[in-house]
Amino acid sequence: MSEPATNPAATTFSAPTISLPLGLEVLRTYSGALICFEIIFGGLVWILVASSNVPVPLLQGWVMFVSVTAFFLSSAYLFLLITGLADRISIDWNFLDVFYHFVALLFYFAAFVLEAATTAANGRAIVTHPPNGTGNVMCIQYPRGNVFTVMTGNQYNINVVATIFAFAVTLCYSCSLVMAFRRWRI
């Protein structure tokens, strides 16, 4: 007699490869804590840039895109780890972790540089309203240099804080990349 036919779909996929714990235990690891910091700080970058009314949309549009996209992707990744769904999806999660954090690091580094450039381009431009004017006319004292942005003091302060948090998120993604690479190579 011949052997019974096996299901080809069941034999072609290997078990998922993941070295992080699943469930709430992932939050007890350095990687889980870093992912939480990436979500929190990335959300703050998103909120801060949006609250500054995006004075330079050409540059800060990229910052918004990166912060929103990374926020949702990191949240989805953490959701898969906490719920244990990562164990049901047959993929090399260690490689995916390295790849995601590498791409996120590159994108967030570019976003950090653009946000810092936008903030620094303000230089010492001072936007004031003349004391005896109607409020519709602004006086701008131009800083030295060719490129400058016109921001109010509040927008400038918000962009400084957004730059600091963008740098913090970049550091979180770089630490996550190093730890993910070590897990992948072991």
Side-chain angles (χ1 to χ4, degrees):
M1 288 221 103
S2 65
E3 293 183 33
T6 59
N7 185 358
T11 59
T12 55
F13 296 110
S14 61
T17 306
I18 187 165
S19 57
L20 281 173
L22 298 176
L24 292 177
E25 291 296 316
V26 74
L27 299 176
R28 293 185 177 185
T29 64
Y30 289 121
S31 294
L34 281 170
I35 293 171
C36 289
F37 284 131
E38 292 165 6
I39 293 169
I40 292 168
F41 292 158
L44 284 172
V45 171
W46 173 15
I47 291 168
L48 287 167
V49 172
S51 69
S52 72
N53 296 327
V54 191
V56 187
L58 184 62
L59 300 178
Q60 290 181 309
W62 176 254
V63 178
M64 287 291 291
F65 168 75
V66 169
S67 62
V68 170
T69 304
F71 177 83
F72 283 116
L73 289 177
S74 292
S75 297
Y77 182 58
L78 187 62
F79 175 78
L80 288 173
L81 292 175
I82 288 176
T83 59
L85 291 174
D87 200 30
R88 295 183 182 166
I89 301 171
S90 182
I91 194 170
D92 185 2
W93 285 99
N94 292 328
F95 173 75
L96 186 67
D97 193 19
V98 171
F99 180 75
Y100 168 67
H101 282 102
F102 177 73
V103 171
L105 174 64
L106 287 179
F107 281 15
Y108 242 111
F109 182 73
F112 159 67
V113 169
L114 287 175
E115 182 64 25
T118 301
T119 306
N122 188 51
R124 285 177 232 154
I126 301 168
V127 179
T128 58
H129 296 283
N132 297 332
T134 61
N136 295 333
V137 178
M138 292 187 300
C139 296
I140 302 173
Q141 177 184 352
Y142 291 107
R144 301 170 110 190
N146 297 1
V147 178
F148 71 94
T149 58
V150 178
M151 290 187 244
T152 63
N154 189 33
Q155 287 176 329
Y156 177 75
N157 292 336
I158 289 172
N159 279 303
V160 167
V161 175
T163 302
I164 292 169
F165 279 115
F167 179 71
V169 176
T170 303
L171 284 180
C172 288
Y173 276 112
S174 63
C175 291
S176 290
L177 175 63
V178 169
M179 291 170 57
F181 185 75
R182 291 179 68 193
R183 275 193 312 275
W184 179 53
R185 297 312 290 162
I186 292 178

